[in-house]
Amino acid sequence: MDEKSIETKYIDNDELRFSLRSIEKYAIHMIRYIFIVVANNESQIPTWLDTRHPKIRIITHRQIFGEFISPETDQIFNFNSDAIENCITNIPGLSNNFVYFNDDCYLGRTVQKSDFFDRAGYPKIYVKERSYKNFELQKEILEMKAKKDFGALQFEASLSNTIALFKRRFESVADFVHIHVAYPSTKALINECKENFKDEIKRTILQPFRTVKDIKMQFITFQCGMSFNQIEAVDASNDRARFIVIDNDEQLSQLDELARERPILFCINCDSRNQIQRVKALLYL
């Protein structure tokens, strides 16, 4: 991973602040608690965050990794988002039905529970079609290319590994992929997946940094949910769910589209200092 990649990966663009503001503005009426997962509660809580808010709960890695914490040190240092995501059902007090946000996921308008769950309580997942026809060959190629990559190549490699694992176990996969926005799920579904893929998920949790062999929680639970009829796949349109990447000035026009459409859920991936002020201007609206 080169120096530029490291720098952009750890830029703080106030994503968490804006994400929480969107929740407060558009969803505070329907939520019980907001659980914020941090490595520790000594150095990773933002100074601007009011932890006294009655709906805010700070959760540390120590609370969710449980048996995977080294008994020798009683500490855990994990920078692997795949490992962390596979432990979130261990959050104390988490409801069976919950919505998982990355810090760069936002709400664009007032939401209700029906935007996330159907009448049976199953998650509604916004999707688009994606063919996995040749993914096993792509998996091998990606794994070779991504050995020293911590970005898009590694993400695609571990995604392909997740899909390949599911297909070996269940013989087929759904040719859809969820849009990278806030992700509703249930503890029951995730825990069922963890039982089906216990060894592989355990290996992922034990990795302190992301690897090409990781099992991605959202992708494995989406495939399980489709196979077990425990999710409702919803066709994504720009006014429902939108994921955009801003790497250069030419892509800034997507922000104008977001401002016009105000989708229910959206995510902005921006690692460029040159464009971040335009992104912040949109999020202040």
Side-chain angles (χ1 to χ4, degrees):
M1 191 174 188
D2 59 35
E3 185 176 335
K4 183 178 179 182
S5 297
I6 294 173
E7 179 186 359
T8 58
K9 184 173 179 61
Y10 293 103
I11 291 174
D12 180 7
N13 293 322
D14 272 342
E15 292 95 341
L16 178 61
R17 187 197 299 257
F18 288 115
S19 182
L20 289 172
R21 284 179 176 176
S22 76
I23 293 171
E24 182 180 38
K25 184 174 182 179
Y26 296 121
I28 202 69
H29 59 281
M30 57 162 276
I31 62 173
R32 188 171 59 98
Y33 294 121
I34 300 171
F35 297 100
I36 301 175
V37 178
V38 296
N40 62 70
N41 56 11
E42 297 165 357
S43 62
Q44 287 213 311
I45 300 176
T47 56
W48 49 262
L49 180 64
D50 182 7
T51 57
R52 298 168 300 176
H53 191 286
K55 293 198 174 186
I56 294 289
R57 296 288 187 275
I58 301 298
I59 303 297
T60 65
H61 287 184
R62 183 178 298 177
Q63 290 175 274
I64 64 174
F65 275 79
E67 64 180 298
F68 300 106
I69 297 176
S70 168
E72 288 79 16
T73 63
D74 194 34
Q75 293 179 338
I76 186 166
F77 297 95
N78 196 296
F79 302 91
N80 182 354
S81 59
D82 295 323
I84 296 165
E85 289 183 351
N86 276 300
C87 289
I88 59 175
T89 56
N90 297 331
I91 292 174
L94 182 69
S95 297
N96 182 60
N97 289 43
F98 67 94
V99 183
Y100 173 65
F101 280 69
N102 288 125
D103 60 359
D104 56 359
C105 291
Y106 313 96
L107 300 174
R109 64 178 92 153
T110 300
V111 294
Q112 306 297 334
K113 290 182 181 178
S114 58
D115 290 309
F116 299 102
F117 298 95
D118 65 17
R119 291 184 177 181
Y122 292 146
K124 289 183 176 179
I125 308 295
Y126 292 100
V127 302
K128 61 182 179 181
E129 292 185 1
R130 172 170 177 166
S131 174
Y132 292 111
K133 184 178 180 180
N134 298 314
F135 75 93
E136 289 175 312
L137 175 60
Q138 294 170 355
K139 170 181 171 292
E140 295 179 8
I141 296 172
L142 285 166
E143 284 184 358
M144 292 296 296
K145 290 182 177 180
K147 285 185 176 179
K148 295 184 179 181
D149 177 80
F150 286 80
L153 283 176
Q154 187 194 65
F155 179 91
E156 287 293 325
S158 57
L159 187 163
S160 295
N161 181 62
T162 301
I163 297 296
L165 173 66
F166 185 87
K167 187 174 182 182
R168 286 196 299 270
R169 192 73 50 85
F170 290 94
E171 298 184 353
S172 65
V173 295
D175 282 328
F176 293 99
V177 63
H178 62 279
I179 306 298
H180 181 60
V181 291
Y183 186 78
S185 192
T186 68
K187 289 168 63 174
L189 175 58
I190 293 178
N191 288 335
E192 188 171 358
C193 289
K194 289 167 80 170
E195 281 300 312
N196 276 284
F197 303 100
K198 184 180 298 184
D199 294 339
E200 295 85 357
I201 289 176
K202 180 178 180 179
R203 282 197 293 270
T204 297
I205 294 172
L206 288 171
Q207 297 299 321
F209 298 94
R210 288 190 297 186
T211 77
V212 297
K213 295 293 188 180
D214 285 351
I215 303 303
K216 293 193 168 298
M217 180 274 289
Q218 295 181 49
F219 288 88
I220 200 74
T221 56
F222 174 77
Q223 291 295 333
C224 285
M226 291 292 287
S227 180
F228 305 159
N229 294 317
Q230 291 186 25
I231 65 170
E232 178 183 340
V234 180
D235 182 42
S237 58
N238 286 346
D239 66 338
R240 288 178 169 178
R242 186 88 183 265
F243 169 66
I244 66 173
V245 177
I246 305 293
D247 284 331
N248 55 59
D249 288 344
E250 293 179 1
Q251 294 173 325
L252 287 172
S253 61
Q254 297 178 89
L255 298 179
D256 297 326
E257 296 171 5
L258 271 181
R260 288 194 305 269
E261 294 158 356
R262 280 291 167 181
I264 299 171
L265 308 172
F266 66 97
C267 174
I268 303 175
N269 191 314
C270 179
D271 292 327
S272 170
R273 295 188 186 277
N274 296 328
Q275 287 84 34
I276 192 58
Q277 292 307 317
R278 281 287 304 278
V279 173
K280 287 185 176 182
L282 169 73
L283 295 174
Y284 272 119
L285 292 178

